[in-house]
């Protein structure tokens, strides 16, 4: 029987690649994001179900759960990202609020809404895309590091709470990924600033690299839980240690 995988933030980047990878593995994929047109185009490629959904909006999340149905095998909490890069002293509070709402509250809201269908279907996987930003703070990154750490803690608590149930809880923590939108969104559409993030880095991760990690953790035998998978490009030894040719 075809089981369902729900991927948030599937209109772009890692989520889009993950939706494709899970569809190729035979799941009925339900895709969620705010940009309905983009989402519909991607869903059409493989007969997925596109749900225009802002994960910060409870009614949207309820619609997403309804579209997912009552047999959900995989939930990929991927919607999110960084907004800005500034010192705490200059923090843009509206951007911080939006980061918390999208990354943290969105992750919790979607997980909560889909839990009955995960349980009804006999179990499955909850995968959250955090970041190596959750490993420790970096200058000007307090807002983003904080939300990713909060997602990690929610994920860790969930694993404890679900102990004894057949639901695995995985934290995928990527380093530098040259994805479609991440840096453009972070820098409010400034293409020059966005490009500088990857300048001189030989082979940053691609969105497909991260999608493959997600596909792999959910494809393992049901008793195997990859708690956390940290994945970085070889050129990135640590968040602050990046080999650049220029
Ligand atoms: N790129 C990196 O270097 C990197 C590294 C580590 C972790 N990550 C994490 O990976 C995840 C995906 O990022 P990405 O690199 O693939 O960036 P991306 O290309 O910008 O994709 C972000 C996705 O999130 C969706 N989204 C944003 N706000 C949303 C909301 N309120 N409701 C529903 N969907 C929303 C966007 O869709 P709409 O705009 O259509 O809503 C988009 O599909 C994020 O959680 C990010 O923090 C990225």
């Amino acid at each position: 029987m075809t089981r369902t995988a729900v991927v948030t933030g599937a209109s772009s980047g890692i989520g889009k690649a993950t939706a494709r990878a899970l569809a190729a593995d035979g799941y009925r994929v339900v895709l969620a994001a705010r940009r309905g047109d983009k989402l519909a185009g991607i869903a059409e490629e493989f007969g997925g179900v596109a749900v225009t959904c802002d994960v910060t909006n409870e009614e949207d999340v309820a619609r997403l759960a309804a579209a997912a149905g009552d047999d959900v095998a995989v939930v990929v909490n991927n919607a999110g990202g960084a907004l800005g890069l500034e010192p705490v002293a200059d923090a843009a509070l509206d951007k911080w609020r939006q980061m918390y709402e999208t990354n943290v509250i969105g992750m919790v809201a979607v997980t909560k809404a889909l839990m009955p269908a995960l349980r009804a279907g006999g179990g499955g996987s909850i995968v959250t895309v955090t970041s190596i930003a959750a490993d420790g703070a970096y200058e000007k990154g307090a807002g983003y590091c904080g939300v990713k750490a909060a997602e990690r803690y929610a994920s860790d608590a969930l694993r404890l709470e679900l102990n004894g149930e057949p639901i695995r809880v995985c934290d995928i923590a990527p380093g530098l990924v040259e994805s479609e939108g991440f840096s453009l969104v972070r820098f409010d559409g400034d293409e020059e600033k966005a490009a500088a993030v990857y300048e001189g880095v030989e082979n940053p991760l691609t969105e497909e690299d991260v999608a493959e990690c997600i596909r792999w953790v959910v494809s393992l035998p049901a008793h195997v839980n990859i708690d956390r998978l940290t994945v970085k490009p070889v050129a990135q030894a640590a968040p602050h240690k990046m080999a650049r040719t220029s």
Side-chain angles (χ1 to χ4, degrees), residues 8-16 32-36 38-39 53-57 77-82 98 101-103 129-133 144 147-148 151 172-186 197-198 205 207 210:
T8 68
S11 64
S12 170
I14 294 167
K16 172 191 65 186
R34 294 166 303 178
R35 286 170 293 173
K38 282 200 84 178
L39 206 59
C53 166
D54 182 334
V55 295
T56 70
N57 179 302
N77 287 305
N78 165 77
Q98 198 182 333
E101 282 287 337
T102 307
N103 290 275
V129 181
T130 65
S131 168
I132 59 169
Y144 185 58
V147 298
K148 288 299 172 187
E151 277 187 276
I172 303 289
L176 187 75
V177 187
E178 190 166 10
S179 66
E180 194 178 332
F182 182 83
S183 292
L184 265 180
V185 171
R186 175 167 228 172
V197 173
Y198 312 101
L205 292 178
E207 40 206 45
V210 182

Side-chain angles (χ1 to χ4, degrees), residues 112-166:
K112 185 178 165 190
L114 292 169
M115 194 64 80
L118 272 164
R119 285 179 160 143
S125 310
I126 300 169
V127 180
T128 298
V129 181
T130 65
S131 168
I132 59 169
D135 296 348
Y138 57 81
E139 288 159 85
K140 304 181 185 175
Y144 185 58
C145 293
V147 298
K148 288 299 172 187
E151 277 187 276
R152 172 163 299 164
Y153 272 66
S155 189
D156 287 348
L158 195 58
R159 193 177 306 108
L160 296 167
E161 290 157 7
L162 294 178
N163 185 233
E165 296 189 55

Side-chain angles (χ1 to χ4, degrees), residues 222-238:
H223 67 285
V224 179
N225 196 136
I226 303 296
D227 286 16
R228 186 186 305 168
L229 194 161
T230 299
V231 53
K232 301 191 271 73
V234 172
Q236 186 179 34

Side-chain angles (χ1 to χ4, degrees), residues 93-106:
L93 298 185
D94 53 337
K95 289 186 174 173
W96 278 55
R97 284 193 191 95
Q98 198 182 333
M99 275 193 284
Y100 273 84
E101 282 287 337
T102 307
N103 290 275
V104 186
I105 310 295

